[in-house]
Amino acid sequence: MVKLYFSPGACSLSPHIVLRESGLPFELEQVNLQSKKLKSGGDFLEVNPKGQVPVLKLDNGDILTEGPAIVQYIADQKPESGLAPKAGTIERYHVQEWLNFITSELHKSFTPLFKPNTPAEYAQISKENLANRFGFLDKELGKRQYLTGDRFTVPDAYAFTVVGWSKYKDIDLARWPNLKGYMDRVAARPKVQEAMKAEGLLK
Ligand SMILES: N[C@@H](CCC(=O)N[C@@H](CS)C(=O)NCC(=O)O)C(=O)O
């Protein structure tokens, strides 16, 4: 069985959602990102020297890091789930295009907002960059239900996770109604609810 190393509400929520959406059996191992210790005991840096979640430990013991790679690996274990189109197709490249956009333009613009030593002006620039990207997302989501079409694929789990951090940083999504509607739509999915409950993010 694969094992997902996660921290509640962190970017590891994305592969956690994808695991539940895929139906692949898995177990969870909680990580303390400050102390780099595993909840069950043990040193997380021995699992991932980068000290970051998500990490997926495969059945054969291999370790896979980097969220965009992990979600595609999971989707490819269950191609019938439709969570990612077949590798090599233009539809798959569009999935990768979204994953790359989310990781580089959204995820890493949020990171300084969570660091206590980020200067206020830098935080302000990060928030402006995010607002600009949210404007783009809002236009795209005016055209379709999910990022790549009318069905949920792996970048939706990632976008939902990262855009969801807005609530911790006083960014009101009501400014972008299509994006807000999309967040509500993803949040209502039963497997998304299950993942959030398992991480203690929902009652
Ligand atoms: N490039 C990595 C970044 C992962 C990442 O930023 N993880 C954060 C949580 S959202 C983390 O583990 N932070 C702790 C740290 O960097 O020490 C990926 O895309 O998976």
Side-chain angles (χ1 to χ4, degrees), residues 7 9-12 33 36 44 50-54 65-68 70 103 107-108 111 115 158 165:
S7 174
C11 52
S12 44
L33 288 176
K36 309 292 180 199
F44 179 52
K50 291 185 265 192
Q52 292 181 312
V53 291
T65 65
E66 301 297 323
I70 292 173
T103 209
H107 186 170
K108 288 300 154 181
T111 302
K115 293 207 187 288
Y158 195 16
W165 296 336

Side-chain angles (χ1 to χ4, degrees), residues 14 85 110 116 125 158 162 188-189 196 202:
S14 162
F110 264 105
I125 292 168
Y158 195 16
V162 170
R189 294 176 69 86
M196 293 183 80
L202 277 183

Side-chain angles (χ1 to χ4, degrees), residues 71-149:
V71 292
Q72 291 184 76
Y73 174 84
I74 299 166
D76 286 340
Q77 302 313 298
K78 291 275 182 183
E80 67 280 12
S81 67
L83 286 162
K86 199 168 170 333
T89 61
I90 185 62
E91 290 80 10
R92 180 60 167 261
Y93 290 112
H94 284 306
V95 159
Q96 291 169 342
E97 182 181 22
W98 276 115
L99 289 170
N100 201 67
F101 173 80
I102 298 161
T103 209
S104 58
E105 304 295 334
L106 304 181
H107 186 170
K108 288 300 154 181
S109 289
F110 264 105
T111 302
L113 301 181
F114 288 105
K115 293 207 187 288
N117 56 353
T118 298
E121 296 101 87
Y122 189 90
Q124 191 49 38
I125 292 168
S126 293
K127 276 193 169 182
E128 281 160 20
N129 287 339
L130 281 167
N132 184 16
R133 302 306 180 204
F134 285 2
F136 165 73
L137 277 175
D138 192 60
K139 280 207 188 73
E140 291 298 302
L141 290 164
K143 301 178 203 160
R144 51 191 180 269
Q145 297 274 299
Y146 292 105
L147 291 175
T148 60

